Amino acid sequence: MLIVMKSAASGEEIQAVIERVQSAGARSHLVRGEEVAVIGAIGDREHVARLGLEGSPGVDSVVPILKPYKLASSEVRQGERSVLEIGGRRVGGEHFALVAGPCTVESRDQTLATARIVKDAGAMFLRGGAYKPRTSPYAFQGLGEAGLRILAEAKAETGMPIVTELMDVRDLEPVLAVADVIQIGARNMQNYTLLTEVGRAGCPVMIKRGLSSTLEELLMAAEYVLKEGNENVLLCERGIRTFETAYRFTLDLTAVPVLKQLSHLPVIVDPSHAAGRRDLVEPLSLAPAAAGADGIIVEVHPAPDEAICDGPQALHCDDFARFAAKLDQVAAIAGKRIGAAA
Amino acid sequence: MLIVMKSAASGEEIQAVIERVQSAGARSHLVRGEEVAVIGAIGDREHVARLGLEGSPGVDSVVPILKPYKLASSEVRQGERSVLEIGGRRVGGEHFALVAGPCTVESRDQTLATARIVKDAGAMFLRGGAYKPRTSPYAFQGLGEAGLRILAEAKAETGMPIVTELMDVRDLEPVLAVADVIQIGARNMQNYTLLTEVGRAGCPVMIKRGLSSTLEELLMAAEYVLKEGNENVLLCERGIRTFETAYRFTLDLTAVPVLKQLSHLPVIVDPSHAAGRRDLVEPLSLAPAAAGADGIIVEVHPAPDEAICDGPQALHCDDFARFAAKLDQVAAIAGKRIGAAA
Amino acid sequence: MLIVMKSAASGEEIQAVIERVQSAGARSHLVRGEEVAVIGAIGDREHVARLGLEGSPGVDSVVPILKPYKLASSEVRQGERSVLEIGGRRVGGEHFALVAGPCTVESRDQTLATARIVKDAGAMFLRGGAYKPRTSPYAFQGLGEAGLRILAEAKAETGMPIVTELMDVRDLEPVLAVADVIQIGARNMQNYTLLTEVGRAGCPVMIKRGLSSTLEELLMAAEYVLKEGNENVLLCERGIRTFETAYRFTLDLTAVPVLKQLSHLPVIVDPSHAAGRRDLVEPLSLAPAAAGADGIIVEVHPAPDEAICDGPQALHCDDFARFAAKLDQVAAIAGKRIGAAA
Amino acid sequence: MLIVMKSAASGEEIQAVIERVQSAGARSHLVRGEEVAVIGAIGDREHVARLGLEGSPGVDSVVPILKPYKLASSEVRQGERSVLEIGGRRVGGEHFALVAGPCTVESRDQTLATARIVKDAGAMFLRGGAYKPRTSPYAFQGLGEAGLRILAEAKAETGMPIVTELMDVRDLEPVLAVADVIQIGARNMQNYTLLTEVGRAGCPVMIKRGLSSTLEELLMAAEYVLKEGNENVLLCERGIRTFETAYRFTLDLTAVPVLKQLSHLPVIVDPSHAAGRRDLVEPLSLAPAAAGADGIIVEVHPAPDEAICDGPQALHCDDFARFAAKLDQVAAIAGKRIGAAA
């Protein structure tokens, strides 16, 4: 950590900061420039972080040098990328993960029909929500355990591993019984008790970036899971909130290459929730594939017009095979293939 | 809800939308302009909301007309504002609520010392966190139940009602035993299971606006609590995330008068977390008082340099009485007084 | 335009709004829902826009229905896309435009060397700045007319059309003598006098989206040029400002398909300024190519370490041919080729 | 400037950076922490800024230490604040500037009537636009020189100094003949040729912050004017663009105390354009007065319903005296008075 002093800081103020640093068990290192002095604080990062020097007399700003996450960082693996093995599928490296399925599990028929179609088109994982976080308390909140049973049936029939969301720690047990990947939604990205519990459960976790969360905060959320010894974490970019109102969220494509530099964890993109409109899902799927994403998670419905939730953003089942083939072509240029042989 | 058709929409496309609207049990109303047609859908708002016409052929956009919250809206009380009674204090109307105390309950001494000082200066509620949501899993997470016991002691001694945060539904019972107001933090503003449970518990709730939550989403969070029959909800603006990096968060002062128009609920402002710096707390407290806020919640510490958490933003205890007096002067111009006689 | 009344609006208030609408020469159309009334105002859009009913008694909100741009809209060409012909090259349709060159014209050698290399690798246009808008008044502001002369020489030698920025209307004449495309920078996107003058000049114009400009505002900027009878307008997405600080700007990839829906004008992407870092330029070039962009404009330098301006984001000349070939592969999947035969 | 190396940076990479720094004529200073090395570059700030080390091998990030503005900084005056004298009025220090008038000069009657009323209520400056930057090329663009003549007449009659906008350098001469303060609008905040020219003209300048400009960029815009020897610069906060859509712009109140720390220049707030709605103008005027702003600039109209431009945000003339008196009360608590004796 570097403490930049004001140009008007007195010698006493500089000395006081040095003493604070040393009292925290860190070494200090003073560099005097022509206009300002800078003090480096070297030592245990948690102790140094706790110094709280921002408000102190003579201090202009405090610049953190070390990244606050460790286990999620690319340094921890010396730059080698994680390839996760989940339900017999690999994610990361040359393996482009195509996760597809309905937004919400509405019925046995809808879910099984969708599962069969996306499987035939090459999807590797089936997504589907039994618990739905809804902005309105009056909206449909998901089928709950009945929905989980339908997902279990789809898994039994198609063999596809299941990605499904957990919202409430009290539902952990039934979700664990079905899920191959537990999804933490954007609104719960900083629900630390939930992150800690899924970390302990050991099940693979896909963490969606919060609508206004920085990449550093996303990696800190991953750190909560990793710290419990659970190494199977997928990061998911799903659009951020900006000033633009011409579409729902702004897909942050730059997050893909930047996350891959900062972290060894695979990076998935959700074009459906970012766009909120079917016609944008294809370009917003091909773009991350070209940019090196490790997969996408996309919504598909046999009859989007009748979907209970988010129908306008679901791809039509009968267009899905064409979509998947084009996606595979683009992923290939970036050195990946959908479902590359495990 | 209004469905705006594209100018190139065909008669069949317009007819198809009308039929979708009617099939949802709503009445439709077609207005043809010179360039585009607009279809009004009139009926039960949940049914209409579920139509999902955004992606349909010929549809340009869908414009919601009715606000999605009901119980939180100002209409529900015909414009009359709520005045809550909490622990013998009133909040709202002419009563300006001064909530003060440490960010985190660190020790018995620190908490009791702060409580005495803020009480003497006119504070009406004591704030203090026993459970702390921290971005880093390596940071201090609060004293937990030991912290709650210290708050209970401070309450017993000073008579001040307690405002404290709940993060995990599993901690509801011990928190209820001490809290007069349960705080839902910004990161949990869309933790719907938590909101529903505090709604059922009946205890007054202060909901902090998420860092990138719209005012409508904040009011929908309040609606989750109100829907359970719990009418004691305080809204809290605490800064939003913008592009500016010269300070921590951007206090959204416009939210104060706008929330007071949209809703009957009292509006509190948290200048400490918005600013992150002590020297900004005073201007960011006086400003909302001038703009008609119903109170502020502010952090105070006897020795901020030694605070475990957020010391740089805590006011010094020995400056607090002067601060409170100046705040009261400004509030008076806006027609309110700190602790106006209940 | 639709005027949504408050639910508490009185009959008199509704009547007053209707009279305002009619007094502006528009027809009014009243729709009464169960909770609120909505008044449609049908007529000349400029008159209606000027009504200013937002603050009127009983009015909840005013919803514009017609888009404020006309000549830039896709409707004006019944959905057919513009293909521009500039200096013997085509942009739009199946023609993917690769615009490359130095950020700043620094010297004859640097510019000519870069021009030769990018031409050999298939670039269609040479970019280079003689006038540079710089945040700091102390920074290098470009070579000015001497820079224009170097660009003229590069054009004479390579035959590549020139893209260069105009900042000041007083420099229009010398810039016109060299430029095949005048670039309006992001900071000048709403410099309406500049837009009007380049509109009158008739020279093709590339308008860069402002850092926080909406797509509608970008299209309105194009409208300023189109209105003067100049049909050769290229839109350029170059990253917007968001809360994220892990990289310079957030490339708004969703803007590509959305602009192509809203407008007939070609859409170019500038990955270099969006990213500010060389290692991000390749993924942020491939992504828009996959998403259907009509071209990219990218910075290349023979010795980026010695560049006067923005060296860290310039591609190395000796890597450019590989880059261009990969880009062409991705563009091909989206139905375009670099420099498709004119 | 500090260059933070990656933890995996080799000794050669560190040495290469040190040599780059020294080759730029700066001294280097290496600090090795336990995990990373940091290199301080000490020397002429422009040379160091030009190093462009962001992309170099082994470099993690580059942290600027010195602020890029000098003449606008508070250090340049050792913390003393500027009090400007303009047309016999003082702005800054204990003098709260109330600038009021119509958005647009529409007619002689409207302008003179407004001028008389705001003068009687204590306003110190008359605002009014003759040149109007409009998002739409089809909208009213101002009366131009005819508008300037009306302003001259209002000034002659009331004695109030005039604040009016300049958009185009070619209009500088006629604007200078009337204006006591030239306003640079938000859209032109980074129009550097305009800033340089008003800097040279010597006339006092009020620079409005761009919609997504950082405070640092605003101060750099001021620096463009100050560098030409023109010391009479007012900074104006007028709302920034955020994700919130419940109102027009987000007034950034935190900018007021932060700008006053960073710079010696007076800080004015424009509540009218921030809010876009009359009912928000009063709270958004009182709030900055409480927070220590040096003045506000506010729109007033005798018949807002008939205003050509921005009527919904104009205060009614007949309510202005009450408004000004309340504002003065709040300013007094912050140690200022409207029109304190010069």
Side-chain angles (χ1 to χ4, degrees):
Chain A
M1 177 172 294
L2 297 163
I3 299 107
V4 182
M5 303 301 292
K6 292 179 177 164
S7 61
S10 67
E12 288 74 38
E13 288 169 341
I14 292 173
Q15 193 52 38
V17 168
I18 290 173
E19 280 164 21
R20 275 297 297 287
V21 169
Q22 292 172 344
S23 74
R27 282 183 297 125
S28 68
H29 194 108
L30 175 64
V31 182
R32 280 184 180 281
E34 280 161 35
E35 301 188 36
V36 300
V38 177
I39 298 160
I42 300 167
D44 179 84
R45 74 172 95 188
E46 289 313 316
H47 286 165
V48 172
R50 206 181 287 174
L51 277 168
L53 285 162
E54 287 83 357
S56 297
V59 172
D60 181 83
S61 59
V62 175
V63 182
I65 294 299
L66 296 179
K67 299 187 169 54
Y69 45 87
K70 301 173 198 170
L71 304 171
S73 73
S74 44
E75 284 82 6
V76 84
R77 303 222 174 173
Q78 283 87 39
E80 199 194 326
R81 300 202 56 71
S82 284
V83 178
L84 308 187
E85 237 185 294
I86 302 171
R89 273 74 171 172
R90 287 191 181 162
V91 182
E94 66 193 279
H95 312 275
F96 188 89
L98 177 54
V99 184
C103 174
T104 303
V105 174
E106 296 167 16
S107 72
R108 193 176 167 280
D109 284 359
Q110 164 246 19
T111 304
L112 290 180
T114 307
R116 286 173 204 129
I117 287 164
V118 299
K119 190 198 177 187
D120 288 349
M124 294 157 63
F125 294 85
L126 180 66
R127 61 148 293 149
Y131 300 96
K132 300 298 300 176
R134 301 303 297 274
T135 309
S136 168
Y138 307 110
F140 176 64
Q141 314 269 327
L143 290 180
E145 298 203 18
L148 294 175
R149 283 191 295 272
I150 294 172
L151 287 172
E153 195 176 341
K155 179 178 175 175
E157 187 188 312
T158 63
M160 278 199 289
I162 301 293
V163 180
T164 198
E165 178 160 357
L166 174 70
M167 287 171 61
D168 187 330
V169 286
R170 297 171 300 183
D171 298 321
L172 180 59
E173 212 176 315
V175 168
L176 274 177
V178 177
D180 297 276
V181 178
I182 290 182
Q183 175 180 313
I184 301 295
R187 293 177 183 86
N188 276 316
M189 193 202 88
Q190 295 190 312
N191 184 334
Y192 300 124
T193 59
L194 193 60
L195 291 167
T196 298
E197 293 299 339
V198 299
R200 286 175 187 161
C203 178
V205 184
M206 183 174 72
I207 306 176
K208 289 197 161 183
R209 181 183 183 189
L211 292 184
S212 68
S213 295
T214 61
L215 299 184
E216 187 170 298
E217 288 170 336
L218 173 58
L219 291 169
M220 290 305 282
E223 193 85 6
Y224 263 93
V225 176
L226 294 164
K227 178 167 173 280
E228 301 298 329
N230 185 342
E231 298 200 336
N232 295 305
V233 177
L234 300 164
L235 306 172
C236 182
E237 159 62 30
R238 45 80 75 221
I240 57 173
R241 195 159 258 177
T242 69
F243 62 83
E244 180 58 67
T245 56
Y247 45 79
R248 195 155 62 167
F249 296 110
T250 300
L251 185 68
D252 178 9
L253 201 88
T254 314
V256 172
V258 173
L259 282 173
K260 294 188 72 171
Q261 282 180 357
L262 296 175
S263 174
H264 58 89
L265 298 168
V267 179
I268 307 295
V269 170
D270 175 347
S272 306
H273 284 88
R277 280 162 47 184
R278 185 179 307 115
D279 58 345
L280 299 179
V281 171
E282 183 167 318
L284 297 188
S285 297
L286 301 179
D294 295 303
I296 64 162
I297 176 165
V298 68
E299 299 191 352
V300 184
H301 198 283
D305 285 354
E306 294 162 21
I308 295 179
C309 172
D310 282 340
Q313 76 199 29
L315 295 176
H316 285 281
C317 276
D318 49 21
D319 190 42
F320 188 72
R322 184 201 58 76
F323 166 84
K326 195 167 179 183
L327 184 64
D328 191 40
Q329 273 189 289
V330 174
I333 297 176
K336 294 171 186 287
R337 298 302 298 269
I338 295 178
Chain B
M1 178 174 292
L2 297 163
I3 300 108
V4 182
M5 303 301 291
K6 291 179 177 165
S7 61
S10 68
E12 288 75 38
E13 287 170 342
I14 293 172
Q15 193 52 37
V17 168
I18 290 172
E19 281 165 21
R20 275 298 295 289
V21 168
Q22 292 172 344
S23 75
R27 284 182 296 125
S28 68
H29 194 107
L30 177 64
V31 182
R32 281 184 181 281
E34 280 161 34
E35 302 188 35
V36 300
V38 176
I39 298 159
I42 299 166
D44 179 83
R45 73 172 97 186
E46 289 313 316
H47 286 166
V48 171
R50 207 182 285 176
L51 277 167
L53 285 160
E54 287 83 356
S56 297
V59 171
D60 181 83
S61 60
V62 176
V63 182
I65 294 300
L66 296 179
K67 299 189 169 53
Y69 45 88
K70 299 174 199 170
L71 304 172
S73 73
S74 44
E75 284 82 5
V76 85
R77 303 225 174 169
Q78 283 86 38
E80 198 194 328
R81 303 202 53 72
S82 284
V83 178
L84 308 187
E85 236 187 294
I86 302 171
R89 272 74 172 171
R90 288 193 182 159
V91 182
E94 66 193 277
H95 311 276
F96 189 89
L98 177 55
V99 185
C103 173
T104 303
V105 175
E106 297 168 16
S107 72
R108 195 176 166 280
D109 284 358
Q110 164 246 18
T111 305
L112 291 181
T114 307
R116 286 174 204 129
I117 287 164
V118 300
K119 189 196 176 188
D120 287 349
M124 293 158 63
F125 295 85
L126 179 67
R127 61 149 293 151
Y131 300 97
K132 300 298 300 175
R134 302 302 298 271
T135 310
S136 168
Y138 308 112
F140 176 65
Q141 314 270 328
L143 290 179
E145 298 202 20
L148 293 175
R149 282 192 294 272
I150 294 172
L151 287 171
E153 194 176 340
K155 181 178 174 175
E157 186 187 314
T158 62
M160 279 199 286
I162 300 292
V163 179
T164 197
E165 178 160 358
L166 175 69
M167 288 172 60
D168 188 331
V169 285
R170 297 171 300 184
D171 298 320
L172 180 58
E173 212 176 313
V175 168
L176 275 176
V178 176
D180 297 278
V181 178
I182 291 182
Q183 174 180 314
I184 301 294
R187 294 177 182 86
N188 277 316
M189 194 203 86
Q190 295 191 311
N191 184 335
Y192 300 124
T193 59
L194 193 60
L195 291 168
T196 300
E197 293 299 339
V198 299
R200 287 175 187 161
C203 177
V205 184
M206 182 175 71
I207 305 177
K208 289 196 160 183
R209 181 184 183 189
L211 292 185
S212 69
S213 297
T214 61
L215 298 185
E216 186 170 299
E217 288 171 336
L218 173 59
L219 291 169
M220 290 306 281
E223 193 85 6
Y224 263 93
V225 176
L226 294 164
K227 179 167 173 281
E228 301 299 329
N230 185 341
E231 298 200 334
N232 295 304
V233 177
L234 301 165
L235 306 172
C236 181
E237 159 62 30
R238 45 79 76 220
I240 58 174
R241 197 160 256 177
T242 69
F243 62 83
E244 181 58 67
T245 57
Y247 45 79
R248 195 156 63 169
F249 296 111
T250 299
L251 185 69
D252 179 8
L253 200 89
T254 315
V256 172
V258 173
L259 282 173
K260 293 187 73 171
Q261 282 180 355
L262 297 175
S263 174
H264 58 88
L265 299 168
V267 179
I268 306 294
V269 170
D270 175 349
S272 305
H273 284 88
R277 279 164 44 187
R278 184 178 310 116
D279 58 344
L280 299 178
V281 171
E282 183 167 319
L284 298 188
S285 297
L286 301 179
D294 294 304
I296 64 163
I297 175 167
V298 70
E299 298 190 354
V300 183
H301 198 284
D305 286 354
E306 293 160 23
I308 295 178
C309 173
D310 282 341
Q313 75 198 31
L315 295 177
H316 286 280
C317 277
D318 48 22
D319 191 41
F320 188 71
R322 183 200 59 77
F323 166 83
K326 195 166 179 183
L327 184 64
D328 191 40
Q329 274 189 287
V330 175
I333 298 177
K336 294 171 187 287
R337 298 302 298 267
I338 295 178
Chain C
M1 177 173 293
L2 297 163
I3 299 108
V4 182
M5 303 300 293
K6 291 179 178 164
S7 62
S10 67
E12 288 75 38
E13 288 169 340
I14 293 173
Q15 193 52 37
V17 168
I18 290 173
E19 281 164 21
R20 275 298 296 288
V21 169
Q22 292 172 343
S23 74
R27 284 184 295 125
S28 68
H29 194 108
L30 176 65
V31 182
R32 281 185 179 280
E34 280 162 34
E35 303 187 36
V36 301
V38 176
I39 298 159
I42 299 167
D44 179 84
R45 72 172 97 186
E46 290 312 316
H47 287 165
V48 171
R50 208 181 286 174
L51 277 168
L53 285 160
E54 288 83 356
S56 298
V59 172
D60 182 82
S61 58
V62 175
V63 182
I65 294 302
L66 296 178
K67 297 186 170 56
Y69 45 88
K70 301 173 198 170
L71 304 171
S73 74
S74 43
E75 284 82 6
V76 84
R77 303 222 173 173
Q78 283 87 39
E80 199 195 326
R81 302 202 54 71
S82 284
V83 178
L84 308 187
E85 236 186 294
I86 302 172
R89 274 72 172 173
R90 288 193 181 158
V91 181
E94 66 193 279
H95 311 275
F96 188 89
L98 177 55
V99 184
C103 174
T104 303
V105 174
E106 296 167 17
S107 71
R108 193 174 167 281
D109 285 358
Q110 165 246 19
T111 304
L112 290 180
T114 307
R116 287 173 203 129
I117 287 164
V118 300
K119 190 198 177 186
D120 288 349
M124 294 157 63
F125 295 85
L126 179 67
R127 61 148 294 150
Y131 299 96
K132 301 298 300 175
R134 302 302 297 274
T135 310
S136 168
Y138 308 111
F140 176 64
Q141 314 269 328
L143 290 180
E145 298 202 20
L148 294 175
R149 282 191 295 272
I150 295 172
L151 288 171
E153 194 177 341
K155 181 178 176 176
E157 186 188 313
T158 63
M160 278 199 288
I162 301 293
V163 180
T164 197
E165 178 160 358
L166 174 69
M167 287 171 62
D168 188 331
V169 284
R170 297 171 299 183
D171 298 320
L172 180 58
E173 212 177 313
V175 168
L176 275 177
V178 177
D180 297 277
V181 178
I182 290 182
Q183 174 180 313
I184 301 294
R187 293 177 183 86
N188 276 315
M189 194 202 87
Q190 295 190 313
N191 183 334
Y192 300 125
T193 59
L194 193 60
L195 292 167
T196 299
E197 293 299 339
V198 298
R200 287 174 187 163
C203 177
V205 184
M206 182 174 72
I207 305 176
K208 289 196 160 182
R209 180 184 184 189
L211 292 184
S212 68
S213 297
T214 62
L215 299 184
E216 187 170 298
E217 288 170 334
L218 173 59
L219 292 169
M220 290 306 280
E223 194 84 6
Y224 264 92
V225 176
L226 294 163
K227 178 167 173 282
E228 302 298 329
N230 184 342
E231 298 200 335
N232 294 303
V233 178
L234 301 164
L235 305 172
C236 181
E237 159 63 29
R238 45 80 76 220
I240 57 173
R241 196 160 256 175
T242 69
F243 62 84
E244 181 59 66
T245 56
Y247 44 79
R248 195 155 63 169
F249 297 110
T250 300
L251 185 68
D252 178 8
L253 201 87
T254 314
V256 173
V258 173
L259 282 173
K260 293 187 74 171
Q261 282 180 358
L262 297 175
S263 174
H264 58 88
L265 298 169
V267 179
I268 307 294
V269 170
D270 175 348
S272 306
H273 284 90
R277 278 164 45 185
R278 184 178 307 115
D279 57 346
L280 299 178
V281 171
E282 182 166 321
L284 297 189
S285 297
L286 301 178
D294 295 304
I296 64 163
I297 176 167
V298 69
E299 298 191 352
V300 183
H301 198 283
D305 285 355
E306 295 162 20
I308 294 178
C309 174
D310 282 341
Q313 76 199 29
L315 294 177
H316 285 281
C317 276
D318 50 20
D319 191 41
F320 188 71
R322 183 201 59 76
F323 166 83
K326 195 167 179 183
L327 184 64
D328 190 41
Q329 274 190 289
V330 175
I333 298 177
K336 293 170 186 289
R337 297 304 297 268
I338 294 178
Chain D
M1 178 175 291
L2 298 163
I3 300 109
V4 182
M5 303 301 292
K6 291 180 177 164
S7 62
S10 68
E12 287 75 37
E13 288 169 342
I14 293 172
Q15 193 51 36
V17 168
I18 290 173
E19 282 164 20
R20 275 297 296 290
V21 169
Q22 292 172 344
S23 74
R27 284 184 295 126
S28 69
H29 194 109
L30 175 64
V31 182
R32 280 183 181 283
E34 279 160 35
E35 302 188 36
V36 300
V38 176
I39 298 159
I42 299 166
D44 179 82
R45 73 173 96 185
E46 290 312 315
H47 286 165
V48 171
R50 207 183 284 174
L51 278 168
L53 286 160
E54 287 82 357
S56 299
V59 172
D60 182 83
S61 59
V62 175
V63 182
I65 293 301
L66 295 179
K67 299 189 168 53
Y69 45 87
K70 299 174 200 170
L71 304 172
S73 72
S74 43
E75 284 81 6
V76 84
R77 303 224 174 170
Q78 283 87 39
E80 198 194 326
R81 301 202 54 71
S82 284
V83 179
L84 307 187
E85 236 186 294
I86 302 171
R89 273 73 171 172
R90 288 194 180 157
V91 181
E94 66 195 276
H95 312 275
F96 189 89
L98 178 54
V99 184
C103 175
T104 302
V105 174
E106 297 167 16
S107 71
R108 195 176 166 280
D109 285 357
Q110 164 246 19
T111 304
L112 291 180
T114 308
R116 285 173 204 129
I117 287 163
V118 299
K119 190 197 176 186
D120 287 349
M124 294 157 63
F125 295 84
L126 179 67
R127 62 149 293 149
Y131 300 97
K132 301 298 301 175
R134 301 302 298 272
T135 309
S136 169
Y138 309 111
F140 176 65
Q141 314 270 327
L143 291 179
E145 298 202 21
L148 293 176
R149 282 191 294 273
I150 295 173
L151 288 171
E153 195 178 341
K155 180 178 173 174
E157 186 188 314
T158 62
M160 278 199 286
I162 301 293
V163 180
T164 196
E165 178 160 358
L166 174 70
M167 287 172 63
D168 188 330
V169 285
R170 298 171 300 185
D171 298 321
L172 180 59
E173 212 176 314
V175 168
L176 275 177
V178 176
D180 297 278
V181 179
I182 291 182
Q183 175 180 313
I184 301 294
R187 294 177 181 88
N188 277 316
M189 194 202 87
Q190 296 191 311
N191 184 334
Y192 300 124
T193 59
L194 193 60
L195 291 168
T196 298
E197 294 299 340
V198 298
R200 288 177 186 159
C203 177
V205 184
M206 182 174 72
I207 305 176
K208 289 195 161 183
R209 180 184 183 188
L211 292 184
S212 69
S213 296
T214 61
L215 299 185
E216 186 170 298
E217 288 170 336
L218 173 58
L219 291 170
M220 290 306 281
E223 193 84 6
Y224 263 93
V225 176
L226 295 165
K227 178 167 174 282
E228 301 299 329
N230 185 341
E231 298 200 335
N232 295 304
V233 178
L234 300 164
L235 306 171
C236 181
E237 160 62 29
R238 45 79 77 220
I240 57 173
R241 197 159 255 176
T242 69
F243 62 84
E244 181 58 67
T245 56
Y247 45 80
R248 196 156 62 168
F249 297 110
T250 300
L251 185 68
D252 179 8
L253 200 88
T254 314
V256 173
V258 173
L259 282 173
K260 293 188 73 172
Q261 281 180 357
L262 297 175
S263 175
H264 59 88
L265 298 168
V267 179
I268 306 295
V269 170
D270 175 348
S272 305
H273 284 90
R277 279 163 45 186
R278 184 177 310 116
D279 58 344
L280 299 178
V281 171
E282 182 167 319
L284 297 188
S285 297
L286 301 179
D294 295 303
I296 64 163
I297 175 166
V298 70
E299 298 190 353
V300 184
H301 198 283
D305 285 355
E306 293 161 22
I308 295 179
C309 173
D310 283 340
Q313 75 200 29
L315 295 177
H316 286 280
C317 276
D318 50 21
D319 191 39
F320 188 70
R322 183 202 59 76
F323 166 83
K326 196 166 178 183
L327 183 65
D328 190 41
Q329 274 190 288
V330 174
I333 297 177
K336 293 169 187 288
R337 299 302 297 268
I338 295 177

